Amino acid sequence: MTATTLRAIRLGGPGEEIDRKSLAAIVRRFQNLHRLQLQRIQEYQTPRQRDFLDLLPLLFHCNHPMLPGYVSSETPAGIQDYVPARRTLLAVRRLTKSFEYKRRALTEYPIHGIYLMGSVSSVAYSRKSDLDIWLCHSGSLDESQLDELRRKAAGVEKWAQSLGLEAHIFFIDSERFRLGIGTPISSESCGSVQHHLLLEEFYRTSVWLAGRATAWWLVPPDQEARYGEYLNHLREKRFVNENDFIDFGGLEYIPPDEFLGGTLWHLHKAIDAPHKSLLKLFLMESYASQYPHTRWLCARLKAAVYEGSLDDRELDSYILMYRDVERYFLAGGERERLELARQCFYLKLNELVRFGGGTEAEKRRRQEILTAMVHAWGWPRQRIRDLDERRHWTVVKALQEQKVIGHELTRSYRTVRQFAAEHSEIGGPAGEEIKLLGRRLSAALELKPGKVERLSLDSGDCIEPKDFSMHEVRLADGEMGWILYSGRVASADAGKAPYLKKARSLVELLAWLSFNGLYDRSANLFLETVESALTLLELKNNLRALNRFLASHQSEPEHLDDYGRAPRVIAAALFVNLGIDVDAERRDGIRLASDRHDALSYGYERTNLIHQVDAVILTSWRETLVKRYQGLVGFLDCLADLINESLSNESHVECFCFVAGRARTIALRVQELYRDLRAAFSSSDRSLRYILRGGSEFYLFDNQGTSVRFWGVPDVDRLYSELSAPRSMFSPVIFDRAALENDPLPLIYAHNRPGVIQIFCQPESSQVKVYILDERGSLFYRSHEAVGPQLLLGPYASFLGDILQRYVLAAGGIEYYVVEHQASGGYSVKSAGFQPNPDSRMLEIRVFAQETAPGRVAYTIFCNDSEFSSMDAGQDVFSMAAAHIMRLRQSGERYPIYITDIDLPLSILGVDTPEELQTVHFLKFKEKVEERLNA
C-alpha cells in the first residue's frame, strides 16, 4: 500500500485566478497515480505479459515489419510527446534485434492517446481479466486509413492472445464520441444504453499509457456541473493548449434512460454471475437515488487527487465502489443488503487471494485489505469459514443463497421500473435495448409451473455431490407427483424431512438437478414409488441422457436480439413412458409380441405404446421448460408444437425411452416420425397433408398456412371422405410409412401432380375401383362392377372433357393409370394407355339443374334429343329418364347409366365463387345423380 499526502490544489472558477503551474501539477498527479496503477497491473502479470503493456504505445507510434501487428509502412502511426522508456526498448530487443528506435517529428500525430480502462486498475484485476484499451485517434483519418489501423489493432490483439491476454482495442474519435456517435467503449458495455455511465467508469478506472491527457483532469471537482463552460474558459484564456488534451465530454447531465439501461445491464450480468455484478448493481441504485444531482465516484477520485491524498488503496476503483455502496446502505438503514454487498466484495478478493495469480506481495496486499475490511465489519470467524467453503457447498445452502439472490434481483428490477415511472419516457434505440434487457430479466427471474429454476451461482462456486431421494406421492389435488429430498430419506421419515423440490413430473426434478450441475455419478439415488413402475436403473438412464442433452446445448450463444421476438424452441428432449409399464393394463398379463412393430399401432390389436411424453424444452430466451403430454393425442400435440416451432427456425429434437421391453422401438419411432413430419412440413408446399396411424384410428396433419394442426379419423372410410374435401390450393398428401397396409392410396398420392386430373383404375375379380385425384389433390373414390378399364375410362373421359370445356378450372389435362397388385405384395402403377374417342359415345346424357327456392332444385335431363323435366315429372324425373334409356338399349341389359355432362349454378355445388370450383365438386354431383338414375 502506498499513501502520499501533497498540498491541496485550488483552481479558481471563470473570472478568478488560475495558476498554470497548478494545472500542470494536476496533470502530473494523475499521470503519477496511473504509473503506480500500471506498476500494480504488471505485478500480476507474467514477464511476457508485462512486455505487452510496455510495448503497446510503441506499436502504434511506429511501423516496423518485425513488430506485432505490422500491416504496412503507410499505416497511421505516431503519438504526440511519446518517447519509449528504457524498459520498453529492452522489451522490443527481446522481440527483434533489428529494431532501432529513431525519434521523428510529425506535423500531425494520428494517435492522440492510449488508455486502459475497467477493473484492470483495481484490486479486482486478475490474469484472466480482459484488457479494454482505448485507442484515441484523429478525426481526420479517412476510411482507408482507419481500415489499416483496424487491421493493425487486430494483429496486436492476436499477439496479446498468444501471451495469455484477452485484449480488446476500441477506436475512439473524441469529437464523435462526445456527440454520442460510435461503438461501445468497453467489452462490458451494452451499446448506446450506457454512453455516459461508461464514460464515468472510464474517468474512474482509466490508466493513461501514452499521448494526451484527458481534459476532465483540468476541471476542478466543484466545477463538474459547469464542465463545458469551465473548459471553454481555459481554452479562451489560453490556460491550456487544445492540442495537448482530449475532451471526451462531461457528466453535467445524464439522460434517465441511461440509469435504466445501466441497471438492467448489470441485472442481466448478475443472472449468470450474481456476486460479480451485484456491487455494480448496488452502485447504480445509489447513483439513481441521487438523480439528477448524482455525486459520481470519479468526482470523489478527482477530489482526492486535488486534495493531495494519493492513497492508492482508498483510490482503488473497486474499493471506491464498495465505499459508496456502504454509505448508501448505511444511510438507508439497510443492514441485510449491506451484508450482501460485503459478501460480494469478500468473495471477489478472497478468490483472487486463494486462486488468482500475481506475486506473493500482491497476494499479501489483497489479504491485508480483506483483513482490515473484515475487522472493521466485525465478522465472526464462522462467517468467514462459511464463505471460504463456497467451493464445497451443500445443495441446501445453495438454495438458501438462491432465495437471497433472487429476492435481490427482483427488488432491483422493481426499483428500475419505479425509476422509469418517475423519471423517464423511454424511446429510440436506447429504449429498445432496455425493453430487450427487461425481457431477458423476466425470462430469467419469473417463476412458473414447469419452468426449471436456475441457481444463481458464480463460476467458482461448486456444490459437492450429494445423495438424493425421490418419492412418488399423491398431491393434495389427488394427482400423483414427486418430491426430491437431499440425502437418503425413507418413506416413514418423508413427512418430517424438509424437501428440496416438488413437481408433478419427475422429469422436472431431474432437469433441475442436471441443469444446475447437482447430480454426479458418484452420488447415490434412492427411489420410493407408489404407482409408478420406475426402476432405479431406468431412473439413472434417464438422468444420464438428460445430462448429455443439456451439456450439449448449454454452450449455445446468447444474443440480446433473441429477445426482440417471441421465444422459440432451440432444442427439445422427449422422455417417453418414464416409469410406465406399457403391458400393465393387459388382463392376460402377457407381453405383446408381433411382426407389426410400429409403436403407434403395435401388434394384431394395433396397440399404441406411447402413453406419456415429458418434453424438456430449451428456448431462445434461455428458459428450460418441462411439459407433459398424456396419451396418443397428447403425444401428437407435442409433435405438432415442435413442428410449428421448426417451421420458423431449426430446432434439435432427441427422444429417449428406457422402459422394459421395446424401448428402442419406441424411441426410434418417435425420432423417425418427428424427422419425417418436419421434412414434410418444411417443404415449399403451403397446404400439405400428412397421414399416420395411431392405434386403430388415423390422424391427419394439415398445414393451415401459419401452423400445423391435426385431427383424428376413426376408420378408412372416413379417411377417404376427409381426402375428398375441396381445397383452396393444390394439397399434396404424404402417408406415413406405416399408415395404410394393403391399400394403393399412398402409392397413388405419390404420383399426384398439381394442375392435372389423374384417374387410377384398379381392376379386381368382382369390381373395379376408381381413384381420381383432381387438380388440387382432392380424392374421388368409387367402385364399379367388373368391366375392362377401357370401357370404364370412356364415360369418365367424356364427362371430364365436357366439364373442362364448359367451366374454367385449374386443370390442364387428364392422365389415365392402371393400379395392379403385385404377387410379392404391394402395388404398382402404370399408364393405362387410354386415348379418349369422342365419336364412341352412343348416347348423350346431359343433366341441367336450377335452384327454384332455397334447398329446392329442379332438374332437366336430355337423353340425346329426348327431354325429361321436373316441371312434367316432378320427383319421378330420374326414373322416367332411366326407363327411357333402358328402352333404347337393344340388348335390354341393366348395366349402370353414366351421364356425360352437367350444367348447374355454383350454389348447388356448395361454392360461392368460380375460383372455388374444382373437379371433385362435379364428380360428387355426378355420382349423386347417377345413383338416382340407377336406383
Side-chain angles (χ1 to χ4, degrees), residues 748-769:
I748 289 171
Y749 261 105
H751 286 75
N752 196 201
R753 297 190 298 118
V756 178
I757 301 171
Q758 297 168 304
I759 304 177
F760 299 82
C761 280
Q762 183 189 356
E764 293 184 349
S765 58
S766 60
Q767 62 180 345
V768 178
K769 296 178 179 179

Side-chain angles (χ1 to χ4, degrees), residues 397-662:
K397 287 187 176 180
L399 279 172
Q400 292 170 348
E401 182 80 356
Q402 170 69 14
K403 290 180 180 179
V404 174
I405 296 297
H407 174 77
E408 193 55 55
L409 295 182
T410 302
R411 175 173 180 165
S412 294
Y413 188 54
R414 288 173 181 163
T415 302
V416 168
R417 296 181 65 177
Q418 181 180 351
F419 182 87
E422 293 175 355
H423 295 284
S424 178
E425 293 182 1
I426 304 173
E432 185 60 28
E433 290 180 18
I434 290 169
K435 289 179 185 177
L436 298 183
L437 287 169
R439 289 173 188 164
R440 161 73 171 109
L441 292 165
S442 295
L445 300 178
E446 183 184 30
L447 298 178
K448 58 185 178 183
K451 180 177 177 180
V452 179
E453 183 183 16
R454 181 175 185 175
L455 295 179
S456 298
L457 303 174
D458 290 315
S459 58
D461 295 340
C462 180
I463 298 177
E464 287 193 330
K466 184 73 177 178
D467 297 344
F468 295 100
S469 296
M470 299 174 196
H471 289 211
E472 186 183 22
V473 297
R474 189 168 296 281
L475 303 173
D477 59 5
E479 298 292 328
M480 300 306 295
W482 292 84
I483 295 181
L484 176 68
Y485 296 93
S486 177
R488 183 167 191 174
V489 177
S491 297
D493 301 324
K496 308 170 189 175
Y499 64 85
L500 301 175
K501 285 285 179 182
K502 180 190 292 186
R504 296 186 185 275
S505 165
L506 176 59
V507 172
E508 186 176 340
L509 299 183
L510 299 182
W512 182 77
L513 285 175
S514 179
F515 184 63
N516 290 294
L518 303 179
Y519 172 71
D520 185 272
R521 286 198 175 193
S522 63
N524 294 310
L525 298 177
F526 303 97
L527 184 64
E528 296 284 347
T529 62
V530 177
E531 295 181 356
S532 174
L534 184 68
T535 65
L536 195 56
L537 176 61
E538 185 185 346
L539 173 65
K540 290 182 177 179
N541 285 336
N542 279 278
L543 190 49
R544 288 167 187 163
L546 186 55
N547 273 346
R548 289 193 299 270
F549 169 76
L550 291 175
S552 65
H553 294 283
Q554 281 184 345
S555 59
E556 294 286 343
E558 179 194 7
H559 302 287
L560 198 57
D561 291 342
D562 287 337
Y563 298 92
R565 49 188 179 271
R568 61 191 190 281
V569 175
I570 299 298
L574 308 183
F575 293 86
V576 182
N577 293 348
L578 179 64
I580 295 176
D581 183 352
V582 295
D583 293 319
E585 296 180 1
R586 288 185 61 85
R587 295 178 181 177
D588 54 17
I590 301 173
R591 289 197 174 272
L592 289 170
S594 172
D595 291 334
R596 183 181 286 124
H597 299 298
D598 180 18
L600 296 174
S601 188
Y602 190 88
Y604 174 76
E605 297 177 355
R606 293 193 176 279
T607 302
N608 165 50
L609 301 182
I610 300 175
H611 294 203
Q612 178 178 287
V613 175
D614 290 283
V616 179
I617 299 168
L618 309 181
T619 77
S620 58
W621 284 21
R622 296 187 74 188
E623 294 174 301
T624 301
L625 309 174
V626 177
K627 189 172 182 181
R628 170 167 287 179
Y629 299 87
Q630 296 281 15
L632 176 59
V633 173
F635 164 61
L636 298 180
D637 276 329
C638 174
L639 288 180
D641 290 345
L642 292 173
I643 295 303
N644 286 323
E645 281 286 343
S646 69
L647 292 179
S648 56
N649 65 281
E650 186 173 356
S651 52
H652 179 81
V653 176
E654 295 182 49
C655 178
F656 304 99
C657 183
F658 299 99
V659 296
R662 296 181 296 280

